[in-house]
Amino acid sequence: MPVFERNFNLSHRMTHELGKSIVCGEFGPNDSLPTEAELCERFGVSRTAVREAVKMLSAKGLISSKPRQGIRVMPQEDWNIFDSDLLRWSLEGNPSMRVLREFLQMRIAIEPEAAALGAQFARPERIKAVGDALERMRNAKADTDEALQADIDFHISILYTSENRFYIRMRDFIRTALSVSIRHTNVIKGNPDAVIADHAKVYNAIESRDPVAAKSAMLALIEEALGFIEQELANSGEEM
């Protein structure tokens, strides 16, 4: 573990390093973390900084700190996996195909309905944002950061078209899920024009105020990506 420079917020840096280590599997469920004194020595920080980092990680559901029990890693089902930090650490940790499958399964439960709501309730400026993102996808070179960001913005814009604050608040999850999965599924599909055409079907349906078509087009888009991941899992022999 690195000794941090003094001019950084030490407790936040510790939270990042320890949290990422847990999410990436360096520590398993019910494993004990180093003692408070050991953490102070390894990071070169005060007990106050260590205690603040422990509080932040406890609030995210990653660890439990109790007298006489020390600091222990909690089971994954107790983690606040929608927390933006946990999502980012999952991304930085190069998640497995199984994690990508879980991302896509969750997206199926969110985005098709958001698209349907968008076709019914979206304000014109919300629909325009979707169209603008689609145009950026068309203009970007394939497999570039610009293309990736335009694709992500397309999907986030659709959450906003729903005019539903609960769907909109899923933006961090969707952004992280897409940042990971698009790099895999678009490469497997291998046809940038077809990717754009599939996204255009969603946009056109929302613009036409056709909720059934919007939901169907978004569902087809995500189900195809999920199929790619399922095939990769089968080919790799990972446990289904």
Side-chain angles (χ1 to χ4, degrees):
M1 296 181 182
V3 175
F4 297 142
E5 295 179 13
R6 298 291 179 179
N7 60 334
F8 286 96
N9 186 313
L10 301 180
S11 59
H12 280 83
R13 289 289 304 273
M14 284 191 63
T15 300
H16 173 82
E17 291 296 330
L18 285 174
K20 184 177 177 182
S21 296
I22 294 168
V23 170
C24 294
E26 183 176 332
F27 300 97
N30 298 313
D31 281 354
S32 295
L33 291 182
T35 65
E36 186 176 281
E38 290 171 334
L39 290 172
C40 289
E41 181 178 352
R42 294 189 186 191
F43 286 100
V45 299
S46 68
R47 287 181 179 268
T48 300
V50 170
R51 288 168 184 170
E52 185 61 29
V54 168
K55 286 181 182 178
M56 287 189 278
L57 291 174
S58 296
K60 296 176 187 296
L62 288 178
I63 61 174
S64 173
S65 178
K66 296 180 180 179
R68 300 187 186 89
Q69 294 184 15
I71 307 170
R72 291 189 175 275
V73 177
M74 298 295 289
Q76 289 190 15
E77 54 265 30
D78 292 333
W79 296 0
N80 180 12
I81 59 173
F82 290 113
D83 179 271
S84 58
D85 287 332
L86 266 69
L87 290 169
R88 186 174 67 254
W89 296 333
S90 296
L91 171 61
E92 293 173 351
N94 190 27
S96 68
M97 286 290 123
R98 284 185 295 169
V99 172
L100 295 184
R101 180 176 62 184
E102 290 180 349
F103 275 160
L104 285 159
Q105 289 169 340
M106 188 65 181
R107 286 181 58 203
I108 282 178
I110 298 168
E111 294 186 70
E113 188 61 32
L117 291 172
Q120 297 174 76
F121 302 117
R123 287 172 279 166
E125 60 268 28
R126 301 288 206 197
I127 298 176
K128 182 179 183 301
V130 178
D132 290 345
L134 179 63
E135 190 62 25
R136 286 166 49 213
M137 288 179 65
R138 289 193 177 106
N139 294 332
K141 293 183 179 179
D143 302 324
T144 63
D145 288 340
E146 290 79 11
L148 174 63
Q149 190 57 55
D151 200 338
I152 292 171
D153 289 346
F154 177 91
H155 289 269
I156 299 302
S157 296
I158 287 177
L159 295 181
Y160 278 88
T161 67
S162 72
E163 305 291 355
N164 181 308
R165 56 186 171 175
F166 295 101
Y167 280 94
I168 292 169
R169 286 298 296 172
M170 296 302 296
R171 60 183 181 264
D172 289 338
F173 169 79
I174 297 298
R175 181 177 289 111
T176 301
L178 287 165
S179 297
V180 179
S181 62
I182 286 175
R183 298 180 189 275
H184 293 273
T185 55
N186 282 3
V187 169
I188 296 171
K189 186 165 185 174
N191 188 338
D193 291 337
V195 169
I196 293 170
D198 290 342
H199 284 68
K201 291 177 183 177
V202 180
Y203 168 69
N204 291 335
I206 293 174
E207 186 183 39
S208 300
R209 301 295 186 177
D210 186 338
V212 174
K215 184 173 185 176
S216 177
M218 180 61 81
L219 183 61
L221 195 158
I222 302 174
E223 283 185 333
E224 181 184 48
L226 180 58
F228 291 147
I229 296 301
E230 296 279 13
Q231 188 59 54
E232 287 290 299
L233 277 166
N235 293 341
S236 67
E238 284 193 52
E239 180 184 354
M240 298 296 288

